[in-house]
């Protein structure tokens, strides 16, 4: 229960910061000021928006399917929030350390699609239904390349446990027998006879341990934008076509829950990318000769130093990816439906299949 509350409070804090950051990033890219009045530099604007939504009238359309309409926001947020249960935040902190965490995550967030369809159908609104159908088609399609990219990382690491995958990407793996994988190819380090597991830092991240995982990371990042319904993959919420898409009939607290679910999905997919490809809670600083930067900036497992360093590095990398998502939204125009499906089925999926094949060959030949 405590882990649930702490995770929820951390998520709410990140979402509030992210909502404020999105306004400021958009304003900067469009040569505007953004929020300036509520608090210093408009920093309280996101908090006031939450309070405003909580005070608005909760309207349920008379012709709506009231049970589906009311249940949909709860299911959407619950499916996203449940995914955080298997994300390791530090060497000794993971809400639910199960051995099949990757499989669980892929299964549980698929329920998000059911909630979106319930919201569109239950609203009894043509715009909402069109938005829901678009969303289902998009998310189901982009789960294929995203899943294949994740599979390639799993094949290299030989584990479905997020925490074990995290340990494999840092100098701490030496403390656990049977986890010493030396798969670095960068700069011919392997050929020089240097064991990178003692160097740690960025040299042991998955994108450098196996070259095809860098391509897998790019595929996953693009697919994650579509999974989150973020621009340029935001056709389910296309304001110029569908008013607001599947949540057009929602107001007040229920709209706030849908808003929270969308931003929570952004955070979740970024956390998964960091854990699988970018070293998780491990430090990017390597050991250089007698200067043990990797050990100093990782801390000790089970102690406060290890927890603080782990949370710091994990959230720092996550915020970098979130910032990239915000930049992409305000840089590229919305894709048409045919362009979106072409990118998924004729570009990303074939490349992802090739990456999976290369990951299997790499595992067989290089280990």
């Amino acid at each position: 229960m405590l882990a649930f509350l702490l995770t929820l409070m951390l998520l709410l804090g990140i979402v509030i910061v992210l909502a404020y950051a999105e306004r400021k990033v958009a304003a900067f890219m469009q040569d505007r000021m953004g929020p300036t009045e509520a608090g210093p530099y408009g920093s309280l604007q996101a908090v006031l928006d939450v309070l405003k939504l909580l005070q608005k009238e909760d309207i349920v359309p008379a012709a709506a399917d009231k049970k589906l309409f009311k249940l949909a926001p709860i299911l959407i947020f619950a499916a996203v929030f449940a995914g955080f249960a298997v994300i390791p935040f530090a060497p000794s902190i993971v809400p639910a350390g199960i051995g099949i965490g990757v499989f669980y995550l892929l299964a549980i967030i698929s329920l998000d699609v059911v909630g979106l369809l319930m919201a569109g159908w239950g609203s009894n609104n043509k715009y909402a239904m069109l938005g829901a159908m678009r969303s289902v088609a998009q998310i189901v399609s982009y789960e294929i390349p995203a899943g294949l990219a994740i599979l390639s990382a799993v094949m290299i690491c030989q584990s479905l446990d997020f925490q074990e995958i995290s340990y494999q990407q840092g100098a701490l793996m030496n403390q656990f027998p049977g986890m010493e994988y030396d798969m670095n190819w960068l700069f011919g380090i392997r050929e020089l006879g240097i064991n990178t597991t003692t160097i740690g830092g960025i040299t042991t991240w998955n994108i450098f341990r196996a070259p095809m995982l860098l391509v897998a990371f790019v595929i996953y990042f693009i697919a994650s934008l579509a999974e989150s319904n973020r621009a340029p993959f935001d056709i389910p919420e296309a304001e110029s076509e569908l008013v607001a898409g599947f949540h057009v009939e929602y107001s007040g607290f229920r709209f706030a829950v849908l808003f929270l679910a969308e931003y929570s999905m952004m955070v979740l997919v970024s956390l998964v990318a960091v854990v699988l490809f970018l070293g998780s809670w491990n430090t990017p600083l390597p050991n250089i000769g007698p200067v043990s930067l990797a050990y100093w900036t990782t801390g000790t497992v089970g102690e406060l130093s290890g927890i603080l360093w782990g949370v710091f590095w994990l959230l720092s990398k996550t915020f970098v990816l979130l910032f990239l998502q915000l930049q992409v939204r305000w840089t590229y125009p919305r894709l048409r439906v045919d362009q979106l499906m072409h990118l998924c089925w004729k570009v990303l999926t074939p490349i992802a299949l090739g990456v999976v094949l290369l990951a299997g060959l790499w595992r067989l030949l290089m280990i």
Side-chain angles (χ1 to χ4, degrees), residues 232-252:
F233 304 98
D234 61 339
I235 61 169
E237 304 171 9
E239 295 89 351
S240 58
E241 305 169 26
L242 304 177
V243 184
F246 64 89
H247 55 69
V248 65
E249 296 287 0
Y250 285 92
S251 62

Side-chain angles (χ1 to χ4, degrees), residues 94 150 209 256 297 316 348:
V94 53
I150 292 173
R209 292 170 67 191
T297 56
S316 297
L348 295 183

